[in-house]
Amino acid sequence: MITLLKQSSYKTMPWKNGKGLTAQIAIGPEGATFPDDFFWRISSAQVNGDDPFSNFPGCDRKLVITQGTGLTLKGKDLHPLDVLEFSGEEVIHAKLIEGPVVDLGIIYRRDRIQAEMKVLNLHEISTLNFEGGRHFIFCLRGRLQVHEHLVHAGDCIMIQSLSTLELAGLNHSSYVLISVNEK
């Protein structure tokens, strides 16, 4: 099953620490609320200032900068399209390198979920192979053709119960592949 998640349908909500807003793309299990009873959540946030990250005990996080110059986190620069993994308990203060950024991240309960995040480029056609779980393809640049769906930058496709998927890239596309599996 393939579901198109359009950017216009993302649910905007405040960060857990109240310092900004995030656009929730998807959450699990179905019917879960954030931050109360979720197992995982994929979201995108605009970071406009030097602020602390919210604390998420028992969770791990993966983050990629999708727009802007980058952030300094944990004493290291995080540049666009680099994936950073860190613990939800870590005290992290984000410092903008040069102006606001937009990030894409997944927060997941480490005792229940395994998650992967990869940034990939696509110039023509690729076949992706999946093993169980849910998979998300977030279009960063260009456009993607997935079956009958044309996926624009900022939109996402959710894939369930498929073992292979043909993906076509238009206009030198790049995307983030996020895989979520229950332990």
Side-chain angles (χ1 to χ4, degrees):
M1 182 169 75
I2 299 171
T3 306
L4 176 62
L5 307 171
K6 299 203 54 79
Q7 188 173 4
S8 59
S9 71
Y10 302 161
K11 181 180 177 184
T12 302
M13 57 184 49
W15 293 351
K16 184 179 171 190
N17 68 10
K19 300 280 187 180
L21 295 173
T22 193
Q24 180 174 288
I25 298 168
I27 190 168
E30 197 167 318
T33 58
F34 187 84
D36 304 320
D37 58 357
F38 80 106
F39 291 174
W40 57 268
R41 180 180 79 156
I42 298 171
S43 65
S44 177
Q46 180 156 346
V47 181
N48 293 318
D50 300 344
D51 288 312
F53 272 35
S54 300
N55 188 279
F56 288 97
C59 294
D60 285 332
R61 300 177 73 171
K62 296 181 191 284
L63 186 76
V64 63
I65 302 298
T66 60
Q67 295 176 31
T69 305
L71 292 171
T72 300
L73 302 166
K74 299 172 33 171
K76 297 179 186 172
D77 289 346
L78 178 63
H79 297 285
L81 311 184
D82 293 336
V83 177
L84 177 69
E85 300 178 28
F86 56 99
S87 163
E89 291 90 0
E90 284 186 67
V91 176
I92 296 181
H93 190 86
K95 183 174 187 223
L96 296 171
I97 292 175
E98 184 180 310
V101 299
V102 177
D103 66 34
L104 175 69
I106 180 167
I107 301 171
Y108 57 98
R109 297 198 187 279
R110 71 175 67 94
D111 63 337
R112 308 227 22 152
I113 300 294
Q114 291 178 318
E116 291 184 35
M117 177 184 273
K118 298 176 192 174
V119 178
L120 301 160
N121 291 311
L122 181 63
H123 300 292
E124 292 182 9
I125 296 175
S126 180
T127 300
L128 301 177
N129 296 305
F130 302 114
E131 291 184 28
R134 287 187 192 198
H135 307 276
F136 297 85
I137 296 173
F138 181 90
C139 184
L140 289 171
R141 289 170 185 63
R143 291 175 295 171
L144 304 170
Q145 184 73 48
V146 182
H147 289 272
E148 72 276 5
H149 301 291
L150 184 60
V151 186
H152 295 273
D155 292 343
C156 188
I157 288 281
M158 179 175 64
I159 301 122
Q160 300 177 90
S161 305
L162 285 180
S163 58
T164 61
L165 177 76
E166 191 171 276
L167 183 67
L170 310 168
N171 303 338
H172 300 287
S173 302
S174 58
Y175 63 98
V176 179
L177 175 62
I178 301 172
S179 297
V180 180
N181 289 290
E182 288 195 33
K183 288 185 175 180

